[in-house]
Amino acid sequence: MLFLLLTIGPAFLFACGNILEKSGVSTVGKLTGGTSRPWEFFKGVISNKFWWLGIGCSVLATVGYYIAMARYDLSQVQPMMVLNPVLTALMGFCILKEALTKRIVVAICFVVAGLLYSVENLGESTGMQNVALLWSFAGALSFVALLAQFLCKNREMTDSLIMGIGFGLSAAFYKSVTMDFDLDNVDMSSILGLLLDPRIWGYVFTYGIAFLYSQISFSRGRALFIVPFSAAVGAAVPILAGAVVFSEAFPIGKIISVLLVLMGAALFVVRRPRRKK
């Protein structure tokens, strides 16, 4: 029960936060000209009430999400976060009266089937970590993000990819730190050691980059593309880290569950319609 509360609750709040942040940033972008006038854009964003309400939802969601990551396997927590685009689509249908396409309905079915298939493994904590592999893993994915930045001309896809990789890597760094930090014996030396731990700064850097690109992407891209694409990448990265870095158990049932969820997340990505010649 606690596992579901710490995962479904944050997924719902993340969905609310995404909608509110997108609303605020888009409004400011139209009024100020977007990132072409960065100072005006920045001042407009931090004075927008919808943006702040979205940030508040995201902060509450992050607290629950981080507690879940500290207690359970990444390969169990991250698929639950794919409920974010599912709940966004359902809220859009129920509240905003937006249409649900066949593609979105199929995507929801994949995600729900994957989560139901994983019921027998809910709340697992089976991992042990390899810190050297964590840094190699983070370096490899950072190189991929850097290549995308310079080689891919589709800014919407690049922004969402960097956003997803950043949030995914920050989750991996956070999980690594929590596995070594003893909450039952906290003193000044342990806090100082935590502040000097390179993994903390790895977390701060990757999360900061991801947050920055989330705001940039919302200012010049479509939420229907950004949210599901970054969510799919942001779920895939920690799941992969769970297998490579943390040696989490991956029985056949969990593998099928993860694949179904990631396939559903991929189906949520809305393609840009082709322009008529």
Side-chain angles (χ1 to χ4, degrees):
M1 184 65 184
L2 180 61
F3 175 81
L4 295 176
L5 180 65
L6 292 173
T7 51
I8 294 178
F12 174 77
L13 288 172
F14 275 131
C16 293
N18 285 330
I19 291 173
L20 290 166
E21 286 178 47
K22 169 63 178 174
S23 176
V25 170
S26 295
T27 301
V28 173
K30 291 177 182 178
L31 294 175
T32 63
T35 54
S36 60
R37 299 169 61 189
W39 181 241
E40 295 297 323
F41 175 71
F42 173 75
K43 289 194 297 182
V45 167
I46 63 173
S47 62
N48 186 278
K49 61 182 180 181
F50 289 105
W51 185 80
W52 279 111
L53 188 57
I55 291 296
C57 288
S58 297
V59 168
L60 289 175
T62 301
V63 171
Y65 167 54
Y66 278 9
I67 293 173
M69 280 198 298
R71 295 174 62 95
Y72 309 112
D73 282 357
L74 287 178
S75 54
Q76 279 292 305
V77 174
Q78 291 304 140
M80 299 297 288
M81 291 300 105
V82 181
L83 281 172
N84 177 354
V86 171
L87 294 172
T88 300
L90 293 177
M91 284 192 291
F93 174 72
C94 297
I95 300 173
L96 303 177
K97 308 303 179 183
E98 295 180 350
L100 281 179
T101 65
K102 291 181 180 179
R103 184 189 180 98
I104 297 299
V105 172
V106 172
I108 291 174
C109 291
F110 268 96
V111 172
V112 172
L115 295 181
L116 289 177
Y117 203 89
S118 69
V119 167
E120 64 181 22
N121 299 312
L122 288 181
E124 286 186 336
S125 181
T126 62
M128 54 184 292
Q129 67 173 317
N130 185 321
V131 177
L133 268 180
L134 171 64
W135 286 106
S136 298
F137 180 78
L141 287 181
S142 297
F143 181 70
V144 170
L146 189 63
L147 280 180
Q149 176 69 28
F150 288 105
L151 299 180
C152 182
K153 296 181 179 180
N154 186 331
R155 292 295 92 191
E156 190 176 51
M157 178 174 289
T158 301
D159 292 346
S160 303
L161 177 66
I162 294 174
M163 175 181 167
I165 289 177
F167 281 131
L169 286 178
S170 69
F173 277 117
Y174 172 81
K175 176 67 175 180
S176 176
V177 171
T178 59
M179 291 180 73
D180 287 339
F181 191 74
D182 186 3
L183 287 174
D184 295 327
N185 297 292
V186 179
D187 53 26
M188 286 301 297
S189 61
S190 63
I191 294 175
L192 181 61
L194 183 66
L195 293 176
L196 296 176
D197 192 325
R199 292 173 296 176
I200 285 291
W201 298 106
Y203 163 80
V204 170
F205 177 76
T206 52
Y207 188 91
I209 291 294
F211 180 79
L212 175 63
Y213 270 87
S214 72
Q215 304 310 303
I216 292 173
S217 63
F218 282 151
S219 72
R220 61 189 183 187
R222 299 163 296 159
L224 286 176
F225 180 91
I226 296 162
V227 173
F229 187 80
S230 61
V233 175
V237 169
I239 290 171
L240 185 59
V244 175
V245 178
F246 300 104
S247 303
E248 293 177 0
F250 267 86
I252 187 64
K254 184 186 283 189
I255 293 173
I256 294 173
S257 169
V258 167
L259 288 176
L260 287 172
V261 169
L262 293 180
M263 288 169 64
L267 285 171
F268 269 103
V269 179
V270 176
R271 296 178 180 176
R272 189 180 295 277
R274 294 180 178 179
R275 296 178 180 178
K276 294 181 180 180
K277 295 182 179 179

